[in-house]
Amino acid sequence: QVQLVESGGGLVQAGGSLRLACSLSGRTFSNFNMGWFRQAPGKERGFVAAIKSSGASTYYGDSVKGRFTIARDDAKNMVYLQMNSLKPEDTAVYYCAAGLGVTVRNLDDYGYWGQGTQVTVSS
C-alpha cells in the first residue's frame, strides 16, 4: 500500500522561505508522477506544482511560478517543494500526491495522497 508523508510545514513571515518534503513508501517511487496541491480554508484544493516520473518535466500553477520549485530524489523516494518569497495568500494545507497518468494538473490525475502539512505565512 502506498503511503505518502509530508513534512516541513510551519509558520513563516511574508518574504520568507520553506521547503516541504514528501516521502513515498510501498511502491516504486520512480514510476510515479508527483504533485503538490494546497487547500486554504473555505476554498477548493488547487494545483501547485508537479514533476513527471522521468523528472524531465515540471509544471507550476500560475500563482507560484517563479517562486516555488519542485524537485525529486528517486534514490531517497522523496519529492520536495522549495517555496520562496512566500505571501500570506500562500497560507494553506499542502498535500503531496502520487499518480500514474498522463496529465498532472488535476486532482483526479492522482491516486494517492498524503495527510497534508500546514503552511502559514504571516504578514
Side-chain angles (χ1 to χ4, degrees):
Q1 184 171 349
V2 174
Q3 281 194 314
L4 296 169
V5 179
E6 301 99 336
S7 60
L11 174 63
V12 64
Q13 288 189 331
S17 298
L18 281 175
R19 189 177 81 150
L20 305 183
C22 172
S23 65
L24 183 149
S25 61
R27 293 276 293 274
T28 303
F29 177 77
S30 60
N31 290 341
F32 288 95
N33 302 325
M34 300 299 298
W36 288 96
F37 289 73
R38 66 187 182 186
Q39 187 168 18
K43 294 189 176 181
E44 294 184 350
R45 193 173 298 189
F47 174 73
V48 176
I51 186 167
K52 282 295 192 80
S53 57
S54 66
S57 299
T58 57
Y59 307 82
Y60 296 94
D62 288 342
S63 62
V64 307
K65 204 171 294 183
R67 300 187 298 122
F68 291 11
T69 303
I70 189 170
R72 63 189 296 152
D73 185 338
D74 286 2
K76 296 182 178 180
N77 292 353
M78 298 287 292
V79 63
Y80 304 98
L81 185 68
Q82 178 66 43
M83 305 186 295
N84 298 329
S85 302
L86 283 161
K87 304 175 181 179
E89 51 263 45
D90 294 317
T91 295
V93 177
Y94 283 70
Y95 295 91
C96 175
L100 296 170
V102 175
T103 55
V104 296
R105 291 180 179 269
N106 306 302
L107 292 172
D108 57 11
D109 292 331
Y110 299 89
Y112 304 99
W113 292 85
Q115 293 298 306
T117 186
Q118 176 70 46
V119 172
T120 303
V121 184
S122 63
S123 56

